[in-house]
Amino acid sequence: MPLATSLAIFQSCNITGVPKSTRCAILRDMAKVRKAERRPPLNKTHKLKRQDWAKKYLKTDFSKVLWTDEMRVSLDGPDGWARGWIGKGQRAPVRLRCQQGGGGVLVWAGIIKDELVGPFRVEDGVKLNSQSYCQFLEDTFFKQWYRKKSASFKKNMIFMQDNAPSHASKYSTAWLARKGIKEEKLMTWPPCSPDLNPIENLWSIIKCEIYKEGKQYTSLNSVWEAVVAAARNVDGEQIKTLTESMDGRLLSVLAKKGGYIGR
């Protein structure tokens, strides 16, 4: 009974008359209180496209795929991040309250094999449309990382990005093509599929680190510095574990007929 109340769980076992405090104490030994995950709804077309994608890339050498994505971090952290148990007799720690989370920083990064590319910070106040996205890639990814790679590496690398409007527009696609990232070197991506991108797991690792113990930040620069420090602590083996998970993800998509998989 996922996300059931303690009362509903006990009633399903035909156990009544147990106080809530006792029910919760018993359940703590075998369960955790969790929120439902938020995901975009998948319709029949989405599921078919996810299956087609899995079939297309089933025999791909994923060590040559660069998985990219953006992440926004705020001063306060995600909603409900600071929720947790405290000891009896202890007071809950005081948290600063910033209007609308105090603003945030948009971060771009990529992972390939056992290497982290970036993270790179999007300039404050810049809204990523097709033009600004391509300029951002030029100033960061291409100038600071890609151009240092060998010709053989560039020939074999596959670039992955999701279907955000700034990524999938005709302008961005043509611009990437002029950079040599086109056709089979630009991975097609199924709709509504964050669960298939291993860099989403990296974002979770970084957020757990920067917001641990209810940590808050007082400036955009300080939260950015925390992201950089957390990213540096992610070693190659952790990244390799994420990128090597792709074969299993594709098989799971096919087994679930295009449905969501666990991350």
Side-chain angles (χ1 to χ4, degrees), residues 168-210:
S169 69
K170 291 182 179 179
Y171 179 97
S172 297
T173 302
W175 185 86
L176 286 171
R178 292 195 294 273
K179 291 288 187 179
I181 298 177
K182 57 185 176 179
E183 299 171 348
E184 294 304 312
K185 288 176 57 60
L186 181 61
M187 178 176 280
T188 57
W189 193 248
C192 304
S193 298
D195 56 320
L196 301 181
N197 191 350
I199 202 173
E200 294 287 350
N201 299 85
L202 176 68
W203 294 146
S204 296
I205 292 170
I206 290 176
K207 285 184 176 181
C208 283
E209 177 63 25
I210 67 175

Side-chain angles (χ1 to χ4, degrees), residues 151-169:
S152 61
F153 177 90
K154 294 175 182 177
K155 180 181 178 180
N156 293 314
M157 190 198 80
I158 300 172
F159 187 86
M160 173 271 154
Q161 59 182 1
D162 64 22
N163 295 320
S166 60
H167 301 172
S169 69

Side-chain angles (χ1 to χ4, degrees), residues 28-85:
R28 284 190 200 103
D29 292 332
M30 62 187 78
K32 294 181 179 180
V33 176
R34 302 293 290 272
K35 284 185 176 181
E37 293 186 27
R38 291 185 177 182
R39 292 176 175 174
L42 289 177
N43 58 34
K44 184 178 180 180
T45 300
H46 295 154
K47 292 179 180 180
L48 289 174
K49 287 185 176 181
R50 284 163 60 89
Q51 291 179 80
D52 290 342
W53 176 85
K55 292 174 183 176
K56 178 178 180 179
Y57 291 104
L58 196 56
K59 296 182 179 180
T60 299
D61 181 357
F62 289 113
S63 69
K64 293 179 170 56
V65 177
L66 175 70
W67 308 93
T68 74
D69 194 24
E70 293 95 8
M71 166 186 70
R72 180 170 292 279
V73 291
S74 67
L75 303 185
D76 287 350
D79 292 339
W81 196 269
R83 182 183 302 171
W85 297 99

